[in-house]
């Protein structure tokens, strides 16, 4: 008796994997690129509509392949700034979030790379969950595809940031595979310059990523001006202290030549003094950076608070003095709990 084979999900395959699949079906390798163009350029999800494919191949696709989808469990739009938060259900029932933000002509989608996160940062909702599992390249790329489907417009999203749930470099292989598919000419053709990866500072992966020579931006969550406080807030600092993280950042800069973003969550009375701002500047001396200050977004049962608005401004001004670009990123969609991991926690 013939064993029924499980259909293959076509989303998330690299061109090479796709070509091998075609070959294993006895098809020509170039069919892979043709189908990828239907999927990623034209966003056609119906095999019958792929009119330049032979009928036999279309029938075979229906039989042996499928186009992976998520279920939208919740979608909330902020009344304040239009931010839309999606809660998706994956094929195995796990749930992840993606957040869509609007800023003048920029439409930014914040992607998740893991269900939960193992890093356990004290101020982070996702960190409280712990790591449930890594996302696949399909699950990373498909967040963009689902959102653009929902918006009814391919290429509606202009910028991608890997700042949702999870630590992208703790899921290195699938994250890099997803980025390569996003930027490749037969894939989504998303400009690498419009993609930013945010990391808590996993040094070996930062080094490896520099060697990939992808022109994406790099953001480092520093969050404290010394190892004592950083280790308390972000336990990973005991493995990769600030010095090592900044050395890896220098290496990345030498390869990619793009300004690095230093992210800094402002916590009242913890890391928000003027002295801290000056220490922070001292730390990054010689490294081309800009600062992104994020006032703490309260999470349930948290011991922290965001600083008062004038303290935030004083901290920002202290950083900016001497020529640094320092901006404050107020939480988008404060009314829909849009900070990372918050919507998932509610459902
Ligand atoms: N794991 C990666 C990317 C996801 S977190 C990283 O840590 O960089 C994205 C950003 O959100 C990080 O800069 C993190 O410090 C910040 N963040 C996490 N919880 C927050 C909260 N409750 N309020 C404000 N920023 C938060
Ligand atoms: Fe993980 Fe980033 Fe949250 Fe830390 S801040 S727990 S690294 S998602």
């Amino acid at each position: 008796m013939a064993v029924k084979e499980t259909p293959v999900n076509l989303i998330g395959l690299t061109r090479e994997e796709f070509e091998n699949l075609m070959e294993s079906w006895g098809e020509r390798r170039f069919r892979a690129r043709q189908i990828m163009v239907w999927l990623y350029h034209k966003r056609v999800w119906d095999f019958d509509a792929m009119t330049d494919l032979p009928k036999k191949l279309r029938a075979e696709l229906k039989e042996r392949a499928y186009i992976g989808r998520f279920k939208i469990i919740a979608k909330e739009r902020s009344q304040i700034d239009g931010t839309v938060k999606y809660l998706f259900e994956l094929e195995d029932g796990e749930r992840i979030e993606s957040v869509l933000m609007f800023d003048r002509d920029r439409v930014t989608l914040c992607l998740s790379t893991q269900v939960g996160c193992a890093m356990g940062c004290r101020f982070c909702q996702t960190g409280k969950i712990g790591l449930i599992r890594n996302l696949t390249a399909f699950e990373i790329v498909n967040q963009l595809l689902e959102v653009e489907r929902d918006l009814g417009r391919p290429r509606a999203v202009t910028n991608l940031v890997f700042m949702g749930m999870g630590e992208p470099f703790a899921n290195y292989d699938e994250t890099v595979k997803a980025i390569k598919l996003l930027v490749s000419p037969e894939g989504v053709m998303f400009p690498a310059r419009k993609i930013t990866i945010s990391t808590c500072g996993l040094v070996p992966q930062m080094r490896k990523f520099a060697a990939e020579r992808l022109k994406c931006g790099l953001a480092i969550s520093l969050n404290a001006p010394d190892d004592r406080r950083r280790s308390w807030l972000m336990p990973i600092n005991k493995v990769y202290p600030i010095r090592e993280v900044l050395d890896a950042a220098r290496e990345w800069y030498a390869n990619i030549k793009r300004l690095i973003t230093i992210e800094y969550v402002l916590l009242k009375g913890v890391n928000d003094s003027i002295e801290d701002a000056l220490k922070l500047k001292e730390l990054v001396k010689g490294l081309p950076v800009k600062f992104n200050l994020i006032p703490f977004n309260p999470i349930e049962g948290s011991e922290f608070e965001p600083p008062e608005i004038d303290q935030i401004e004083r901290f920002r001004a202290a950083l900016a003095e001497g020529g640094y670009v320092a901006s404050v990123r107020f939480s988008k969609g404060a009314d829909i709990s849009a900070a990372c991991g918050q919507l998932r926690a509610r459902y």
Side-chain angles (χ1 to χ4, degrees):
M1 200 176 69
V3 182
K4 195 162 169 25
E5 67 175 27
T6 359
V8 187
N9 180 5
L10 298 180
I11 307 293
L13 297 180
T14 61
R15 178 165 173 176
E16 202 191 350
E17 287 169 341
F18 215 133
E19 286 172 343
N20 292 342
L21 179 72
M22 290 296 104
E23 201 165 69
S24 75
W25 289 5
E27 295 286 344
R28 306 284 300 276
R29 289 178 76 85
F30 73 86
R31 295 295 180 200
R33 191 185 173 277
Q34 239 178 327
I35 301 168
M36 289 177 87
V37 165
W38 281 110
L39 296 174
Y40 297 112
H41 295 192
K42 302 182 194 166
R43 310 283 169 96
V44 165
W45 316 113
D46 172 6
F47 295 127
D48 281 323
M50 300 181 178
T51 46
D52 61 354
L53 302 179
K55 272 225 170 74
K56 177 182 149 283
L57 176 55
R58 281 188 254 163
E60 194 157 29
L61 283 167
K62 281 196 271 184
E63 179 79 22
R64 306 178 74 177
Y66 72 102
I67 294 159
R69 294 291 309 265
F70 301 156
K71 222 187 275 164
I72 300 180
I73 295 295
K75 181 176 145 188
E76 297 187 359
R77 183 186 303 274
S78 160
Q79 300 298 313
I80 304 170
D81 54 30
T83 297
V84 183
K85 180 134 182 169
Y86 290 87
L87 183 67
F88 293 120
E89 188 169 275
L90 311 177
E91 288 172 326
D92 65 351
E94 286 298 345
R95 291 168 177 199
I96 53 161
E97 301 172 355
S98 315
V99 182
L100 186 66
M101 294 161 289
F102 301 88
D103 188 12
R104 275 160 286 162
D105 51 353
R106 229 191 290 164
V107 181
T108 304
L109 183 64
C110 179
L111 299 176
S112 294
T113 54
Q114 298 182 307
V115 186
C117 180
M119 299 299 146
C121 303
R122 262 176 195 267
F123 46 80
C124 175
Q125 184 84 51
T126 309
K128 298 235 179 289
I129 305 170
L131 178 65
I132 298 173
R133 71 169 174 85
N134 282 331
L135 296 185
T136 62
F138 150 64
E139 289 164 335
I140 297 170
V141 171
N142 201 46
Q143 294 170 58
L144 171 66
L145 301 180
E146 290 290 0
V147 166
E148 291 190 330
R149 242 184 222 123
D150 187 57
L151 296 171
R153 213 155 36 95
R155 317 211 172 278
V157 172
T158 62
N159 295 65
L160 288 174
V161 292
F162 285 71
M163 294 181 188
M165 297 171 67
E167 166 51 43
F169 285 164
N171 181 17
Y172 186 87
D173 291 345
E174 293 298 308
T175 297
V176 169
K177 187 178 172 192
I179 295 171
K180 286 182 175 167
L181 189 59
L182 286 167
V183 303
S184 75
E186 62 278 355
V188 180
M189 276 201 302
F190 208 96
R193 296 203 148 265
K194 305 279 181 184
I195 301 177
T196 301
I197 314 293
S198 173
T199 180
C200 62
L202 301 184
V203 167
Q205 290 92 326
M206 286 171 72
R207 295 227 153 90
K208 209 166 151 193
F209 192 66
E212 309 269 359
R213 307 255 167 183
L214 288 160
K215 292 285 174 196
C216 311
L218 182 68
I220 298 169
S221 300
L222 209 55
N223 297 340
D226 56 56
D227 281 323
R228 183 186 56 80
R229 275 178 286 176
R230 192 165 191 267
S231 294
W232 182 70
L233 290 169
M234 306 176 71
I236 190 65
N237 193 68
K238 292 175 207 151
V239 185
Y240 305 116
I242 295 175
R243 273 278 146 242
E244 289 182 29
V245 172
L246 293 178
D247 282 347
R250 276 188 192 92
E251 206 169 295
W252 182 87
Y253 181 81
N255 278 339
I256 311 296
K257 299 282 182 318
R258 285 192 64 176
L259 213 62
I260 290 170
T261 304
I262 299 292
E263 290 170 285
Y264 194 95
V265 177
L266 283 167
L267 306 163
K268 184 179 182 175
V270 176
N271 64 359
D272 65 340
S273 72
I274 300 303
E275 203 194 348
D276 292 339
L278 301 180
K279 267 186 164 174
L280 190 55
K281 278 208 285 199
E282 195 55 38
L283 269 183
V284 300
K285 224 178 198 162
L287 184 67
V289 300
K290 60 179 177 203
F291 293 99
N292 200 343
L293 304 174
I294 321 168
F296 174 65
N297 197 344
I299 61 174
E300 220 178 279
S302 165
E303 62 207 289
F304 303 115
E305 276 177 72
E308 310 299 334
I309 190 89
D310 9 323
Q311 186 56 25
I312 296 174
E313 178 46 30
R314 276 196 291 273
F315 192 94
R316 192 203 63 76
L319 280 181
E321 211 181 87
Y324 282 109
V325 172
S327 50
V328 180
R329 192 175 83 209
F330 285 97
S331 282
K332 291 281 189 176
D335 53 334
I336 56 165
S337 53
C340 110
Q342 290 186 340
L343 187 66
R344 186 187 187 279
R346 205 139 53 69
Y347 277 80

